[in-house]
Amino acid sequence: MDGNTYTASWDHIVAMYDFDKKNEEFELRTLVKLNDNHINMARSKMKVSNAAQVFSHRVASTMKLVSDNAPKGSLLANAVGTAKFCLFMDKTFDSVNARTINPELGKPLRSAVTDKSPHIDHWKYAIKVFESMKFVNKTNGKSTIPPCIKNWIISLKSFLYLWIQLKKHNFKYFLPRHVNQDSLECFFGSVRSHGVRNINPDAYQFVCSFKTLLINNFTSIKSAGNCEHDDSDGTLDNLKQFIESGTNCSLKEPEENNIINIPMFDLPNTFDVCDFTDMTIGYISGYLARTVLKENKFCRLCKNILISNVKNNNLIRVRDYTTKSLLYPSESFQKIIYQMLYITKYILLT
């Protein structure tokens, strides 16, 4: 990969997950999509979504950042190879999972395959990378090439061949996500389940099952759904009455006994958190700032208050696909977010 040899280890994924949980503050983590099911593969080893979330740009960029700042000799200090592998797999997943013509989420490979798209170059590069991969057994040190690597090579070569054939028929683009066998699996599953347990039909039984399924699919009476009538007529009558009579209501001064006294409390100006947590909260603050600005059509005054031109958050920097998609929060706005989290954790819950 990149002309160099790297070593990727699942131990780095586990260490990164433990590091993220250890530095959790205000119930916030950097890798929020990862949970115990991603780490303990025996629970859900057949879920592709878990693999896609582990081998993602978010995990890769965060691991690279932590690895660059980890103490020498620590496990995560040697996790550069794993970070590069996660990023490589993220790009490869994107290249075969595009469903729109234009790039999604700022990812060039998450788009339709065209003559000018980077898919062809990436697939050729990915084939070479997969051909160079070996899995090493930590117990006996033996090297093996599992079927998944061979199948990835076959799949990518097939995509290359398919695109060549489509261009011959004047196709301008194609969406790789449409090339899957989900429909075929569902069809065979229906045939196998026809007649309760028809797991090994011969040709005649298969044709009969197919005819039956085809007829039933178009002529069977579809149910109205999975909802029962709940006798909810008139449930909005009170709301209607409230809205219609609201204009005639007169405001009354609150009685003295009904006044709620809100206690005053002092909020800290500084917070004792590690650098990694500070970057995580800064990342969240930037997201909230962008959300507010979108709602206010990027008001100039709001921009001056909410965001900063000083790009000093490394987590935002490594996660920004396009170098202009994410925003850096201002110091004052990030302080407000800190104080909100402090109120939620230490005051409202007491």
Side-chain angles (χ1 to χ4, degrees):
M1 188 182 297
D2 299 330
N4 299 311
T5 301
Y6 296 98
T7 300
S9 174
W10 185 256
D11 293 338
H12 296 150
I13 303 291
V14 177
M16 184 69 239
Y17 177 67
D18 292 338
F19 177 82
D20 189 36
K21 290 185 65 176
K22 180 181 178 182
N23 289 279
E24 179 179 347
E25 187 67 36
F26 302 115
E27 299 184 4
L28 296 175
R29 292 196 298 116
T30 304
L31 305 175
V32 293
K33 291 187 177 181
L34 296 191
N35 54 48
D36 291 341
N37 291 330
H38 294 80
I39 304 304
N40 301 323
M41 293 181 292
R43 297 182 181 180
S44 53
K45 60 183 179 180
M46 294 299 292
K47 293 193 68 173
V48 178
S49 60
N50 284 1
Q53 289 169 350
V54 171
F55 302 130
S56 64
H57 181 276
R58 174 170 293 188
V59 173
S61 58
T62 306
M63 185 178 296
K64 179 65 167 58
L65 177 63
V66 174
S67 177
D68 291 342
N69 296 276
K72 291 185 178 180
S74 63
L75 182 60
L76 286 175
N78 301 318
V80 176
T82 305
K84 286 184 173 293
F85 174 73
C86 290
L87 183 60
F88 165 76
M89 290 304 304
D90 177 71
K91 291 181 177 180
T92 305
F93 276 135
D94 287 343
S95 69
V96 297
N97 200 38
R99 59 183 177 182
T100 59
I101 297 177
N102 298 319
E104 287 186 283
L105 305 174
K107 292 185 170 185
L109 289 169
R110 199 77 176 267
S111 62
V113 180
T114 65
D115 284 332
K116 297 182 180 180
S117 68
H119 293 78
I120 305 303
D121 292 337
H122 177 77
W123 287 340
K124 292 179 179 179
Y125 167 73
I127 290 172
K128 294 180 180 179
V129 173
F130 280 122
E131 289 176 341
S132 67
M133 282 186 184
K134 294 181 180 179
F135 280 61
V136 180
N137 191 315
K138 292 193 298 183
T139 304
N140 53 31
K142 291 184 178 181
S143 299
T144 58
I145 300 178
C148 61
I149 299 298
K150 299 177 182 178
N151 293 334
W152 263 113
I153 296 173
I154 294 173
S155 297
L156 295 179
K157 287 183 177 180
S158 300
F159 273 115
L160 287 170
Y161 175 78
L162 179 60
W163 175 235
I164 293 173
Q165 298 303 315
L166 290 175
K167 286 199 299 182
K168 291 180 180 179
H169 292 81
N170 299 321
F171 277 75
K172 301 298 182 182
Y173 66 89
F174 92 96
L175 302 175
R177 186 164 185 171
H178 293 171
V179 183
N180 62 68
Q181 60 182 23
D182 291 349
S183 301
L184 189 62
E185 289 181 7
C186 292
F187 171 64
F188 281 124
S190 298
V191 172
R192 288 163 63 90
S193 63
H194 183 250
V196 182
R197 186 173 173 81
N198 190 24
I199 61 174
N200 190 26
D202 56 26
Y204 176 77
Q205 292 172 331
F206 185 90
V207 171
C208 292
S209 297
F210 175 60
K211 289 180 179 179
T212 304
L213 291 170
L214 185 64
I215 294 174
N216 289 342
N217 187 50
F218 289 99
T219 62
S220 60
I221 300 176
K222 303 296 189 299
S223 64
N226 197 31
C227 300
E228 295 181 354
H229 186 65
D230 57 1
D231 297 321
S232 60
D233 295 338
T235 54
L236 296 181
D237 286 349
N238 289 339
L239 176 61
K240 179 180 178 181
Q241 182 181 3
F242 171 75
I243 294 175
E244 291 179 346
S245 61
T247 55
N248 298 324
C249 294
S250 58
L251 297 177
K252 297 181 180 180
E253 292 293 332
E255 298 180 4
E256 184 176 354
N257 294 334
N258 293 332
I259 297 177
I260 301 175
N261 294 320
I262 302 177
M264 300 299 295
F265 44 81
D266 295 327
L267 294 176
N269 291 319
T270 59
F271 298 86
D272 185 18
V273 296
C274 68
D275 293 339
F276 189 71
T277 301
D278 184 64
M279 287 187 290
T280 302
I281 295 178
Y283 178 85
I284 295 172
S285 302
Y287 169 78
L288 294 174
R290 185 176 182 83
T291 303
V292 173
L293 290 175
K294 280 185 176 180
E295 290 293 327
N296 293 278
K297 299 180 180 180
F298 287 88
C299 158
R300 183 178 300 178
L301 177 61
C302 299
K303 289 176 66 176
N304 293 334
I305 296 174
L306 298 179
I307 64 176
S308 170
N309 293 324
V310 180
K311 300 181 178 181
N312 56 359
N313 190 312
N314 289 328
L315 183 62
I316 297 177
R317 176 180 57 81
V318 298
R319 285 194 176 180
D320 195 355
Y321 298 123
T322 62
T323 69
K324 57 183 179 181
S325 300
L326 303 181
L327 299 180
Y328 293 78
S330 64
E331 184 177 347
S332 59
F333 182 65
Q334 185 166 337
K335 179 181 176 181
I336 292 174
I337 301 301
Y338 262 114
Q339 292 177 339
M340 291 172 61
L341 294 171
Y342 180 87
I343 292 173
T344 303
K345 181 176 181 180
Y346 295 106
I347 297 177
L348 295 182
L349 298 181
T350 57

